[in-house]
Amino acid sequence: MPRDGHDIKYLFEPRSVAVIGASHNAQKIGYKILQNIVEGGYEGRILPVNPKGGEILGLPVYTSLAEAGGEVDLVITTVPAKFATAAVRDAADLGAKFNLVITSGFSEVGNIAEERELTSYALERGMRIIGPNIFGMFSASAKLDANFGPGGISAGSVAIITQSGALGLAMIGKTAVENMGISAMVSVGNKADIEEADLLEYLMHHDLTKVILMYVEGVGDGDRLVDVLEEATRLKPVVVIKSGRSKRGAVAAASHTGSLAGSDDVFDAVMRQCGVLRAESIQEAFNLCKFLSTSSMPAGENVVIVTNGGGIGVLATDACEKYNVKLYDDNETLKSIFDPVTPDFGSTKNPVDLTGGATSPDFTGALNAALEHEEIDAVISLYCETAVFDADNLTEMIEQTAESYRAAGKPVIYSVFGGSTAEAALATLTKKGVPVFGDVYETVACVGGLYRHWRNASAQPAGIDEAEIDEAAIARIVDAARADGRSFLLAQEGKDVMEAAGIKMPETRVAKNMDEAVRFAEEMGYPLVMKIVSRDILHKSDMGGVALDLENREEVIDAYQAIMSNCRARVPHARIQGIQVSEMAPSGVELIVGARKDPAFGPTIMFGMGGIYVEVLKDVTFRAVPFSRAEAIEMMKEIRAYPLLLGVRGEERKDIESVLDTIIRLGTVIQRCDGISDIEVNPLMAYEQGQGAKAVDIRVLLSENSGGGTNA
Ligand code: COA
């Protein structure tokens, strides 16, 4: 869809809003939306449109949009599907800028052509469509509540973009309970035109918005989403909840790489790459939004736990490991800070244990000591209900210390656990917007989210690393295979692609007869592997077409004869081009590197443990291409088997540089070579440092309906 249109600002800050289908009937959606707009305090022009005319909620009703006259920034369409297309056309003809199409009954029920027609008519006239099939939007900047959910949304600093209607409406209620104010909320529904990336472009620069929460079901233009998210997450935290699988991602994958890359795995890894915080549940997402929208950013990673319960302190320590929160462990400094405020039988080590006898002044003393010390960057304060604690002061103690931390710009978070007193304090403090949670893991998860965001936002942009490859040579190989009617490359062609990409493979030659095979073997040295070369024999081993570990001239002669007679006997009509004589690659750490055009995110790379157990171990990870060498290192560190590359049990470190180089080279090929849809190298043998890595086996699939070989 063309994206040129009006400045997205007019969607969030419209100067005039028309409701097409504004109803006289208070039970109808067209009435409810108008009521929310009026009662929400919108100060621009409101234009209710209904052929019956009259008056609704004290506003004059126009019989048509044309009658209303004037420039219209935002139209809200709430007429049934059979009238919606005409209504949208009218609005586009009159030059309206944005149209929220509330109406259901389009692509979500199979009416794809109708939706496309409505959207392209609008886009051709410069009007952008939100939806169809949405509940509307809210924008605190314009005091505009244009949805048909419960009114009375409180303005705040969390922006929500949701693909689910029902869940989105429920979120409005939940934000009220959680005392989480909203800066903007947009229901994107079928995403016929406007999608998350368009809205993020506005929200990332929107002053009122401190955190962006997205509920995503499927990704359309993933390439663009990645670019926009990478920019947005440097400015503010973006939290994502995703359910389901993208429609196109569910299409059976064409290769090994694809079948491993359940689209959700790709989504998850790409979100991490973009610096997005993916929440596992709605509650976790809300917790993150609540905390991140109010928390200061830390100055460093020295975190201290202050607790009155030893057990809960240990639980929090476990949680810190899980969520990668770094606990400060300079015991001498900790002692100097906390000794004056900790009882003799407590502990000044992290977690700092004030013991079960601690009272509110003890907590205040320890929290103030941590606040004043510049070595400490953030504090997790854990309160367990005890009989000796002066419970009446709990709320006040937390409120006051939280305020001191806020004023000083140092992050603090509280966990309050216990009976009714604790629960009451939790409820009161939540209402006041203090960062307090019940469960310790929930609390630490928020701190983990803060640090993930902070690390991403404060890291230097890593840039992009690409390799020098011979694109023209690859294009020629792809074109020749296409001319031969194939959508895959033969072994020798795959090898030629690797050569053009600068990726090392074992030395290989194709012998046309026995004498040649023997000569090649003598020249190359032993041990060797021999394989039949025939486009008619795909499963070479099954047909007796492979011989491994050949040590000398006699074995080469025997193997040549055996392979030829096996293949002639089992596949009598096979066209045999010769026998491949290859250097037998010594064993090393077996890795897999896949490069694939993902239906949602475009060029992606998979990396992980290779060999024959890939499918079982599923120790793989993904990235959207292009990326930096630093990102490729992060990618390597994500797999469980990473220590094997560093060398275990006295083994040497493997040639990680060569593996990285292969990843970057394959990324460059999949990005630049249009004609290739999938490449899988398995195994990529990684040898000891300085010995390199070799692509032992490779499969290449070609893109559907693609003529040329490269993008160049
Ligand atoms: N221009 C302006 N107003 C028009 C019109 C037109 N071309 N055609 C009809 N209207 C008026 C009707 O007269 C009616 O007003 P009235 O009640 O005063 O008579 C009003 O528009 C609404 O039309 P109606 O036929 O009563 O429709 P409805 O209110 O029952 O349903 C929708 C309209 C859009 C709500 C419904 O079709 C729909 O899609 N519902 C699902 C919405 C949804 O769930 N979205 C996704 C949420 S996540």
Side-chain angles (χ1 to χ4, degrees):
M1 291 290 173
R3 293 216 166 70
D4 45 347
H6 300 283
D7 185 344
I8 194 85
K9 172 175 176 259
Y10 293 112
L11 171 64
F12 290 94
E13 298 164 45
R15 294 157 299 184
S16 51
V17 176
V19 181
I20 315 294
S23 175
H24 295 84
N25 180 341
Q27 302 308 314
K28 289 195 181 174
I29 284 177
Y31 177 91
K32 186 70 195 159
I33 290 190
L34 190 63
Q35 186 186 27
N36 278 343
I37 295 174
V38 172
E39 292 178 359
Y42 174 66
E43 285 161 359
R45 258 182 103 207
I46 307 175
L47 311 167
V49 176
N50 185 313
K52 292 176 186 162
E55 200 175 274
I56 307 172
L57 292 159
L59 294 169
V61 177
Y62 301 95
T63 56
S64 68
L65 193 57
E67 191 202 347
E71 219 178 315
V72 181
D73 287 342
L74 181 62
V75 170
I76 302 164
T77 302
T78 67
V79 293
K82 59 178 188 274
F83 304 126
T85 305
V88 167
R89 282 174 177 240
D90 281 351
D93 289 341
L94 288 167
K97 295 185 175 59
F98 291 89
N99 200 324
L100 299 176
V101 183
I102 304 288
T103 313
S104 300
F106 288 93
S107 65
E108 82 283 5
V109 293
N111 294 331
I112 295 164
E114 288 81 347
E115 183 171 298
R116 223 173 258 156
E117 195 188 310
L118 173 152
T119 312
S120 46
Y121 190 93
L123 287 176
E124 277 157 23
R125 284 151 190 84
M127 183 175 78
R128 305 290 307 264
I129 299 289
I130 301 90
N133 189 32
I134 58 172
F135 63 78
M137 68 176 286
F138 169 80
S139 169
S141 291
K143 288 203 249 167
L144 175 67
D145 181 356
N147 73 71
F148 63 77
I153 297 177
S154 8
S157 52
V158 178
I160 301 177
I161 302 171
T162 173
Q163 204 174 347
S164 161
L167 198 59
L169 286 169
M171 277 187 195
I172 297 178
K174 183 77 175 153
T175 55
V177 174
E178 299 269 353
N179 191 37
M180 196 173 92
I182 301 180
S183 56
M185 181 163 196
V186 183
S187 160
V188 288
N190 298 358
K191 299 199 277 196
D193 168 24
I194 295 261
E195 50 188 15
E196 289 86 353
D198 301 287
L199 304 169
L200 285 166
E201 270 170 358
Y202 171 86
L203 293 170
M204 72 169 111
H205 301 297
H206 184 223
D207 286 342
L208 291 183
T209 298
K210 301 282 178 259
V211 180
I212 300 166
L213 169 62
M214 301 203 295
Y215 172 83
V216 179
E217 280 172 1
V219 174
D221 184 350
D223 260 356
R224 179 162 170 252
L225 183 62
V226 166
D227 288 347
V228 178
L229 278 174
E230 278 178 344
E231 200 183 337
T233 54
R234 298 191 69 80
L235 301 173
K236 50 189 76 167
V238 178
V239 178
V240 167
I241 323 168
K242 177 177 175 287
S243 70
R245 291 169 168 257
S246 79
K247 284 181 208 133
R248 287 184 292 169
V251 173
S255 79
H256 236 67
T257 319
S259 63
L260 277 171
S263 67
D264 195 63
D265 293 336
V266 177
F267 179 88
D268 199 65
V270 172
M271 288 302 111
R272 219 173 314 125
Q273 177 182 358
C274 296
V276 167
L277 308 175
R278 184 170 182 190
E280 307 245 337
S281 66
I282 298 176
Q283 188 59 55
E284 188 188 346
F286 268 65
N287 289 350
L288 282 168
C289 289
K290 242 168 54 178
F291 179 57
L292 295 173
S293 62
T294 54
S295 177
S296 311
M297 280 298 134
E301 300 228 27
N302 291 340
V303 180
V304 165
I305 299 170
V306 174
T307 177
N308 66 341
I312 210 156
V314 177
L315 271 178
T317 307
D318 289 346
C320 284
E321 195 169 304
K322 173 171 174 180
Y323 294 106
N324 197 15
V325 172
K326 309 222 160 62
L327 290 177
Y328 182 53
D329 59 5
D330 177 340
N331 289 337
E332 274 192 25
T333 310
L334 285 165
K335 194 168 165 46
S336 72
I337 301 169
F338 292 106
D339 221 21
V341 292
T342 310
D344 292 345
F345 44 92
S347 168
T348 62
K349 289 188 183 138
N350 201 0
V352 177
D353 187 358
L354 304 176
T355 77
T359 58
S360 65
D362 295 329
F363 263 101
T364 303
L367 289 173
N368 284 344
L371 175 63
E372 277 155 26
H373 207 285
E374 61 179 25
E375 279 293 298
I376 296 177
D377 299 309
V379 174
I380 301 170
S381 174
L382 311 174
Y383 165 80
C384 270
E385 195 171 298
T386 65
V388 292
F389 190 91
D390 45 329
D392 290 348
N393 297 326
L394 176 64
T395 310
E396 203 184 333
M397 179 276 284
I398 292 180
E399 219 180 323
Q400 279 179 358
T401 50
E403 178 48 31
S404 313
Y405 272 73
R406 198 199 57 73
K410 192 179 273 197
V412 67
I413 194 166
Y414 302 82
S415 161
V416 170
F417 185 74
S420 51
T421 317
E423 285 297 319
L426 200 58
T428 310
L429 291 162
T430 298
K431 278 221 159 53
K432 293 184 171 180
V434 179
V436 51
F437 298 88
D439 181 67
V440 171
Y441 266 73
E442 280 184 28
T443 311
V444 176
C446 289
V447 183
L450 175 73
Y451 274 105
R452 266 193 290 154
H453 168 67
W454 178 79
R455 284 180 206 121
N456 177 68
S458 46
Q460 283 294 327
I464 285 169
D465 283 307
E466 287 173 300
E468 289 277 318
I469 60 166
D470 187 346
E471 286 164 62
I474 296 175
R476 282 195 297 275
I477 298 164
V478 168
D479 290 344
R482 284 223 171 278
D484 196 30
R486 278 180 284 116
S487 59
F488 61 93
L489 297 188
L490 295 174
Q492 187 57 41
E493 294 166 336
K495 189 172 182 302
D496 294 342
V497 167
M498 290 293 100
E499 202 173 307
I503 295 172
K504 282 203 182 105
M505 289 192 78
E507 192 190 346
T508 295
R509 297 195 214 168
V510 177
K512 298 265 185 302
N513 53 48
M514 174 132 56
D515 286 350
E516 242 180 27
V518 172
R519 182 159 57 81
F520 291 164
E522 294 286 297
E523 283 169 12
M524 286 163 70
Y526 301 94
L528 291 168
V529 177
M530 287 168 70
K531 283 183 197 168
I532 191 79
V533 181
S534 167
R535 59 179 298 168
D536 302 311
I537 304 177
L538 289 181
H539 302 288
K540 299 184 188 72
S541 300
D542 297 351
M543 297 303 135
V546 178
L548 301 173
D549 219 357
L550 306 171
E551 297 281 0
N552 52 44
R553 180 189 172 91
E554 286 67 39
E555 286 184 12
V556 167
I557 293 170
D558 289 350
Y560 190 95
Q561 287 168 336
I563 288 174
M564 279 300 185
S565 71
N566 287 342
C567 292
R568 288 211 174 100
R570 291 178 197 170
V571 192
H573 306 296
R575 289 160 286 181
I576 294 172
Q577 281 121 309
I579 287 189
Q580 202 182 55
V581 182
S582 310
E583 165 202 348
M584 179 143 162
S587 59
V589 173
E590 295 193 2
L591 302 168
I592 182 168
V593 186
R596 167 163 206 259
K597 297 218 166 74
D598 181 80
F601 292 104
T604 47
I605 281 280
M606 177 186 75
F607 168 78
M609 255 333 252
I612 54 173
Y613 300 123
V614 177
E615 296 280 353
V616 180
L617 297 174
K618 287 199 165 59
D619 188 13
V620 293
T621 185
F622 303 86
R623 286 295 184 279
V625 177
F627 49 78
S628 64
R629 216 170 167 82
E631 189 69 44
I633 295 173
E634 286 307 308
M635 187 179 191
M636 280 188 160
K637 288 182 181 165
E638 267 171 34
I639 66 162
R640 294 192 302 279
Y642 177 63
L644 297 185
L645 291 173
L646 297 177
V648 287
R649 304 182 73 108
E651 285 172 1
E652 288 283 317
R653 186 180 195 273
K654 301 298 174 283
D655 202 325
I656 290 178
E657 283 305 309
S658 296
V659 177
L660 284 173
D661 196 56
T662 310
I663 292 175
I664 299 287
R665 286 181 182 282
L666 281 178
T668 308
V669 173
I670 200 68
Q671 194 190 6
R672 294 204 197 144
C673 303
D674 222 9
I676 294 179
S677 69
D678 288 76
I679 305 174
E680 185 181 294
V681 175
N682 183 21
L684 172 75
M685 248 2 143
Y687 300 116
E688 289 177 0
Q689 180 101 46
Q691 310 282 310
K694 270 186 188 166
V696 173
D697 212 352
I698 163 172
R699 271 176 356 129
V700 181
L701 302 182
L702 307 183
S703 311
E704 275 173 35
N705 314 319
S706 160
T710 74
N711 294 330

